[in-house]
Amino acid sequence: MVVSRRRVVQVLGGVTMASLTGAGKAQFWFAPSLTYPAIKVGNVNNLKNNEPVYFNYPDARSQGILVKLGRPAIGGVGRERDIVAFSAACTHMGCGVQYKGGRFLCPCHYSMFDPAKAAAVYQGLASTGLPQIQLGIAQNGDIFARAVNGLIWGRARNI
Amino acid sequence: MSNIGRRDALPIPPTNAEVKNTVCQYCTVGCGYKVYTWPVGSQGGLAANQNAFGVDLRNPQNPLGGLVYTETMHSIVTRKDGRQYHVVIVPANDSPINFKRDHSSRGATNAVATWSDARATKERLKYPLLRMGDQFQVITWDEALAILAGVAKGIRDKDGNDDNIVVKAFDHGGSGAGFENNWGVGSLFFKGFSVKHIGIHNRPAYNSEVWGSRERGVHELNYDAIDARLADTIVLWGANPYETASVFYTEHMQPNIQGATLEEKQRNLSRGEPVEAGYMIVVDPRRTSSLTIAENIAKDRTLHLRPNLGTDYILANAIARVMWERKYYDQRFLETRTDMAKFEEYKEKSLKVGTPYAQFMAEVERITGVRRADIEKAADWIAKPKAGGFARRTLTIYEKGIIWNMKNYDQVAAIVQMAVLGNNVGRAGTGCGRLGGHQEGYVRPPSPTPGSIYNGGPPVNVDKYLTDGKGKLYWVIGTNPYLSTPNNQLFRKRIRERTKALSDFLGQSGEPGTTQEWVAKILEGLDATNGLFMVVQDLYLIHTAQDAHLVLPASAWGEANQTSINCNSRLLRLYEKFMDPPGQAKQDWEICKLMGLKMAELYRAEGKEEEAKRFEFGKNWRTDEDVFLDGGNSYPNNAIPASEEATLPAECYKGVTYAFLRQVGQQGIRTPVRVENGKPVGTLRRYSVKFGTKDGKFSWYGTDDWEGYPEEVAKYLEGEKAQKYPFWMTTGRAQAIWQTMYNDRFLPEKMNTLPMPYIEIHPQDAQRLGLRGGDLAQVWNEEGNGTFLVYVTDSVRPGMIFALQYHHLGTSNSMTPGYTDPKTTIPWYKGTRVAIRKVRGALPDLQNSTSFLQQNKFD
Ligand code: SF4
Ligand code: FES
């Protein structure tokens, strides 16, 4: 599967990018539009297929899930382009989603998200996919979270 | 990363933002929403006292209750003053329907579906369009209505009646309609014109979809949402609320199955009555998500009955027969509340008490394919009295699986009779009615056909009337028959032929330049070609409009004040205007009023004062509320005691004003409304005292025997055709999209989720045909063809596929036969036979971006 990035993101070193689209009278800011920190969330050598790792990003009050899917994914990093991370807050009403059977499932009203498809909602009441956390990998295998592509539930702005 | 532009910060409404109350424009549930608008250029702050939400946004919101403000809930619109405004549309926190600000993926896109010249919704129609040969040209309302009125009057003058004036129009609430527009449309066609060839938006005739219930004395909207929380058992029959009435499921049914409403049961039900977590019975050919979620919660309290297509009424009668055998009924109730003379007919024909039980059940098993043990279990769960002799409380909800089944009348009648036999209508936690699809808002002068074949019907099949070459003017309002009629492929071909015949005629020696010449040439062409003059009144240039001669731009939800009721509580609320319509688009009621006045002008010019007056029905309508009140006055006297509520039309709102609705806000008022001491009073639940018949007694009916399938489908079950078309096809809707996707096709979130119409196929069949998720399949029969994306799932059983009924890229209705129930003229959209093959090649971009995981698997 060929997945092209919408935007080339600067690599490593924790530098983040803000992009601003649209000008004139009315402006729409597309994510990531804010300045995000780079935070280490794991190391490729410690990841096992389908065993999710939880972390906080971009701050202590927002949980993310990092998972190696074992199959290529939109926005996936690593040699197999299969390592992805998302906000764990369901975009419906904020419950924590679970990684189960190769997909994310929300226990509250059963929204389901496909991790290989940018966590698009394929069933349920949620209106957008889980915000995808952009990842980068350092030479030593450390995985960094660098930005959030989508609005974390319960916030008017991610940061 | 995704192919959809995402956002990570949303504008915050400042404290001085305008706040309006509204209700979701989409499904039957009618979730409450709040709308915040303010001019672009300012924003509120994060502190609670700095924003119009009054919410502290410095801290994340609490799950399940905190403010819901997601990426699709904001947009920017331009008003008539030329300035741009932020529009934020979020679930209300004070609604009795969507507790805790619940909402679905459909309602969440109310904001991004608004018209804007900067987004894909710029496709909205702004001005009337007139076909000039191969293209449309913009014209003014004055010109458009002069041509339309000229043609309509010319046809009437020649015929001396309105038989050749054919209409297809919405009759619902929500999405741009409501009581105001219904009264406008009804007044034009039933007061001004006397149109009898009129069909309702989703079917070929002007009929109730549930005469089988109404003619028993039970209007289909009789329960309240609370009954789903109080019921001992919920029966979902041909209804999949998790996907089509999502919040009704998640806030009212799911908690009951989870046992989260026990306290509410204790508070509301009889003293000493045993209560426990709810049971759910799902009757459906598919393992729907409504079923599999319930199974996930409590497998032992969930039952799935999977009758062969078309056999549901036999199954309902069989459950009732078990109830009869096991004495799960209240003799006193039957004697005092129901017509015992007619009960004998029911016993004989539906329950077949003359046939020994074992023989009867064996026959039922053979016809329906459902095991006797399951039928008996269903009867126990529906009507077996509880400990202490308390009557069980069962809420039975049906929808298109029953309505758009074969033999519509008998299907609906069988289910409501099963419910009434168990005294399961009119008590807390009971009811038997529709789930609903869209919201309602019906108020019209009397329609041409009063009822089924047993009550002055059946109504004319207007689709057939047109495809047979009859009718001259075809006026389509707020519906897209090129997707929505049965036998769709044939319908499209015939309408295209007939409209094109007229277009070609109009082009001979050049299209006319003056209005008078247009009218004259159209009238001449209609006679010379047997063509059709088609008018489409809609939000967009929909599929049907591509063949129209005249296109009229209508305004949408939010662009005017309107009123509607939801289906699960009959809750009437005011949907406040928060933006202007694009260009010169107008509310349907205003278009109808102006058309009427134009007709009146033409008649007056000829000195025909009587005719002129008939068409001036709207001359005093200046505001939305004028129309609302005018419609309300058409209801009968409602200053009557509560015990007489059954005599009122279900939607009666006489005595209610906009001021009253503003005051009650999201709490609304439940129709039918009565007036007590000069004040409007609502009705929580219907038929507690009397049923809606002349004598107030439930009117039983003996259903037909099983007679096999109608010719249109039976032809596929024999000989060569049985081999050629080996699959049953049933059809329905999907969670993510609304109706024909008239808005959704412009939203990337929706198009990414459902880029094409799809079928569900069982893994065994898929393997045999070499199909995998994400492949394309061609599905066809003698009626028509369609190309569908493939989902492989155990939702369907081997030998049967499910096809999405409406998608803007195609419809399963192309394969649906022209059969309608002879008693009601309601089609059978949900059953026919088809052939399937894999389409060679694939669409890799689509396979990469869209998910093909199984949608009914929650464990
Ligand atoms: S459940 Fe229905 S009414 Fe509620 S938000 Fe969804 S579409 Fe709108
Ligand atoms: S909070 Fe996740 S589906 Fe509702």
Side-chain angles (χ1 to χ4, degrees), chain B residues 79-142:
Chain B
R79 285 194 191 163
K80 291 244 191 278
D81 64 8
R83 296 178 66 193
Q84 291 189 302
Y85 290 81
H86 290 281
V87 173
V88 169
I89 308 179
V90 296
N93 63 351
D94 55 350
S95 164
I97 304 296
N98 50 324
F99 299 142
K100 304 192 288 268
R101 298 177 158 111
D102 204 345
H103 61 281
S104 73
S105 67
R106 302 180 298 283
T109 56
N110 276 317
V112 285
T114 55
W115 162 69
S116 159
D117 272 338
R119 286 180 282 111
T121 53
K122 65 175 179 288
E123 295 296 323
R124 279 285 300 280
L125 293 165
K126 289 184 173 174
Y127 311 115
L129 302 172
L130 178 66
R131 174 178 296 283
M132 292 288 174
D134 62 341
Q135 58 172 222
F136 288 117
Q137 293 186 2
V138 169
I139 55 167
T140 60
W141 276 108
D142 221 18

Side-chain angles (χ1 to χ4, degrees), chain A residues 6-7 27-34 36 86-87 89-94 113 118-121 125-133 148-158, chain B residues 1-12 33 38 53 67-76 86-91 103-114 119 747-750:
Chain A
R6 199 161 60 81
R7 161 186 315 114
Q27 292 183 319
F28 284 95
W29 286 267
F30 286 100
S33 72
L34 309 166
Y36 288 89
F86 300 94
S87 160
C90 177
T91 50
H92 180 227
M93 292 165 75
F113 307 85
V121 198
L125 285 70
S127 49
T128 55
L130 299 174
Q132 187 157 12
I133 297 173
V148 184
N149 194 5
L151 186 71
I152 296 168
W153 191 89
R155 302 178 177 214
R157 44 194 298 132
N158 280 353
Chain B
M1 279 191 246
S2 78
N3 55 0
I4 295 172
R6 297 291 301 260
R7 307 176 71 181
D8 58 1
L10 294 174
I12 299 169
Y33 277 79
W38 74 99
F53 296 137
L67 175 77
V68 171
Y69 182 21
T70 69
E71 291 166 61
T72 55
M73 294 181 182
H74 166 260
S75 68
I76 289 174
H86 290 281
V87 173
V88 169
I89 308 179
V90 296
H103 61 281
S104 73
S105 67
R106 302 180 298 283
T109 56
N110 276 317
V112 285
T114 55
R119 286 180 282 111
L747 307 181
E749 294 80 6
K750 301 298 181 185

Side-chain angles (χ1 to χ4, degrees), chain B residues 24 26-31 33 103-108 110 245-248 439:
Chain B
C24 179
Y26 296 122
C27 89
T28 171
V29 181
C31 296
Y33 277 79
H103 61 281
S104 73
S105 67
R106 302 180 298 283
N110 276 317
S246 317
V247 170
F248 185 34
Q439 296 156 34

Side-chain angles (χ1 to χ4, degrees), chain B residues 625-669:
Chain B
E625 187 174 14
D626 290 340
V627 192
F628 176 76
L629 296 175
D630 196 25
N633 284 332
S634 72
Y635 287 112
N637 171 35
N638 60 345
I640 55 172
S643 55
E644 294 295 318
E645 67 77 25
T647 63
L648 291 174
E651 283 147 315
C652 173
Y653 62 81
K654 195 176 189 165
V656 176
T657 61
Y658 275 17
F660 174 87
L661 290 175
R662 281 209 173 85
Q663 204 189 338
V664 293
Q666 289 293 347
Q667 300 315 305
I669 183 166

Side-chain angles (χ1 to χ4, degrees), chain B residues 467 482 485-494 710-717 721 724-725 727-729 778-786 788 811-820 827-829 831-835:
Chain B
T467 53
Y482 276 18
T485 60
N487 208 357
N488 204 269
Q489 203 146 310
L490 174 92
F491 181 83
R492 295 193 308 265
K493 282 184 199 160
R494 284 292 288 141
E711 174 47 34
E712 291 87 337
V713 172
K715 69 177 180 184
Y716 290 121
L717 296 169
K721 285 185 190 168
K724 200 163 169 201
Y725 303 103
F727 285 92
W728 278 107
M729 178 183 79
Q778 173 76 198
V779 178
W780 79 99
N781 62 14
E782 292 184 341
E783 276 69 42
N785 313 54
F788 294 84
T811 171
S812 62
N813 291 340
S814 293
M815 282 80 75
T816 308
Y819 159 90
T820 57
W828 184 18
Y829 285 105
T832 189
R833 303 280 291 184
V834 293

